[in-house]
Amino acid sequence: MSDLPDREPDRSVPLPGERPPAVTVCAVVTGVEALVLLGFVVFYVVEIVSGASDNLVTAATSGGLILVFAVFFAAMSRAWWRGHDWPRTPTLLVNALLLPVAWSLLQSDRGPVAVATGALAVVGIVAALGTAPRRPVTSADPDAGSRPE
């Protein structure tokens, strides 16, 4: 016998067979959304460099803000892929916010983009709802963030 405590192997990244399909779908959906947002950043950079933008400050601000969201979506995708629980709520929220965007695109005669945006949002919502936390949070859980009374 060894004097060393028994340690479990590092399981921060689940094995491919251990990742539920809904988690994989969430990782892919948020990854695609991150790539689409990066495409918009590239669009703004091209607009700025080519001088096509009427207002340089607005284009730079919009591009910077979209870049922040692209990084956030990429972080969510990575977290889903690694099996973390925290991206569930943000995934639900941002995809729910994409539904009115899709509707607005549809109303402005951007049918294919509207359908793609709406479909991606619905798939993201359904997949996120299909995931379950690895361990339920209870009021007795010391990691739940509640103070003892």
Side-chain angles (χ1 to χ4, degrees), residues 77-133:
S77 180
R78 183 173 186 263
W80 276 119
W81 194 257
R82 294 181 61 104
H84 295 285
D85 291 331
W86 72 262
R88 185 174 193 261
T89 299
T91 300
L92 288 168
L93 178 66
V94 296
N95 283 294
L97 291 173
L98 281 176
L99 293 175
V101 171
W103 181 256
S104 176
L105 287 168
L106 188 63
Q107 296 299 313
S108 59
D109 295 328
R110 304 276 194 277
V113 175
V115 170
T117 302
L120 193 62
V122 168
V123 168
I125 290 168
V126 170
L129 287 173
T131 64

Side-chain angles (χ1 to χ4, degrees), residues 19 37 72 96 104 111 130 132 142 148:
R19 186 178 297 115
L37 288 173
F72 179 63
S104 176

Side-chain angles (χ1 to χ4, degrees), residues 30-108:
T30 53
V32 167
E33 290 167 337
L35 290 174
V36 168
L37 288 173
L38 282 175
F40 280 112
V41 171
V42 169
F43 168 78
Y44 275 106
V45 169
V46 169
E47 288 264 315
I48 291 168
V49 170
S50 69
S53 175
D54 293 338
N55 190 337
L56 180 64
V57 173
T58 301
T61 303
S62 297
L65 182 62
I66 292 171
L67 179 61
V68 168
F69 280 102
V71 169
F72 179 63
F73 275 80
M76 285 193 308
S77 180
R78 183 173 186 263
W80 276 119
W81 194 257
R82 294 181 61 104
H84 295 285
D85 291 331
W86 72 262
R88 185 174 193 261
T89 299
T91 300
L92 288 168
L93 178 66
V94 296
N95 283 294
L97 291 173
L98 281 176
L99 293 175
V101 171
W103 181 256
S104 176
L105 287 168
L106 188 63
Q107 296 299 313
S108 59

